[in-house]
Amino acid sequence: MELQTYLDHVNQGKRLEGGSEVHAFMTQAARQAQQITAEINTGYHDGEELRALFSQLIGKPVDEGFGLFPPFTTDFGKNITLGKRVFINSGCRFQDQGGITIGDDVLLGHNVVLATLNHDPVVARRASMLPAPIVIGDKVWIGANATVLPGVTIGKGAIVAAGAVVHRDVPPFTVVGGVPARILRELSQEERQ
């Protein structure tokens, strides 16, 4: 299977059947991602080296304003799209088969989890997975230990409080928090600048 065929499959939200050719490709790709993330997480790398490794991981150029504090893990890598000046703090974990798009000037706190796959809830099909993308708008700040679940879009300028579990879309310029996350307030006009 070719990478683009796989990406077309998951980006259309099609099921990843356990034991299928698509599932086998996903497993193979995960091993490649593990090799690159092991390199990212081993020893010291300056900003230029980290950008080069991350670019290799996602298969696309990474903006020179990109920042990463390892360790970082992802189980695929090739379905991540980054904007400019993205900062990923230490301990973040991406599950990007369903697609992760991160806008410009986004800040991800320690141990943020972005998960784009759900297992099928039907017991007989539990080994199958259902992909759904995560889209993070420009200037979003996601606090430490927050988890964003499959299919969520976080609007421009929003803040996700530390420890939140985000299971539905977040409107622009709002603050959400809690488990499950709910809107706590809207940002003031001054805070939106």
Side-chain angles (χ1 to χ4, degrees):
M1 173 172 277
E2 297 290 323
L3 174 61
Q4 192 56 54
T5 303
Y6 177 83
L7 289 173
D8 291 344
H9 183 92
V10 294
N11 289 338
Q12 293 170 19
K14 293 181 179 175
R15 178 185 310 277
L16 298 166
E17 299 287 346
S20 68
E21 178 186 9
V22 173
H23 190 267
F25 182 87
M26 181 181 75
T27 301
Q28 174 191 355
R31 289 193 174 82
Q32 292 171 350
Q34 288 169 355
Q35 288 177 323
I36 298 168
T37 56
E39 178 67 24
I40 287 171
N41 298 329
T42 304
Y44 173 78
H45 303 285
D46 65 26
E48 186 175 332
E49 292 169 328
L50 283 173
R51 284 190 301 277
L53 287 165
F54 211 85
S55 180
Q56 180 185 358
L57 175 67
I58 69 173
K60 302 170 193 147
V62 173
D63 178 70
E64 64 183 47
F66 172 77
L68 171 69
F69 285 177
F72 170 82
T73 58
T74 188
D75 55 0
F76 184 61
K78 300 295 190 239
N79 212 1
I80 298 170
T81 301
L82 297 178
K84 296 176 181 174
R85 298 170 302 278
V86 170
F87 176 70
I88 301 171
N89 216 324
S90 62
C92 288
R93 298 173 184 265
F94 290 9
Q95 179 192 55
D96 66 291
Q97 285 90 346
I100 295 172
T101 301
I102 299 175
D104 296 341
D105 302 303
V106 170
L107 304 172
L108 301 181
H110 293 92
N111 304 313
V112 167
V113 174
L114 304 178
T116 65
L117 290 177
N118 269 326
H119 284 277
D120 195 309
V122 176
V123 173
R125 296 190 308 250
R126 190 70 45 91
S128 295
M129 290 165 278
L130 307 168
I134 291 173
V135 178
I136 300 171
D138 295 344
K139 302 181 185 298
V140 167
W141 171 24
I142 301 178
N145 296 305
T147 299
V148 180
L149 297 177
V152 168
T153 295
I154 300 175
K156 178 179 180 176
I159 298 172
V160 175
V165 176
V166 184
H167 71 292
R168 61 180 171 209
D169 291 353
V170 175
F173 302 111
T174 58
V175 179
V176 299
V179 180
R182 61 182 176 79
I183 295 174
L184 302 176
R185 69 180 181 91
E186 291 187 13
L187 294 179
S188 69
Q189 288 303 317
E190 181 182 351
E191 291 170 318
R192 294 178 188 216
Q193 304 303 316

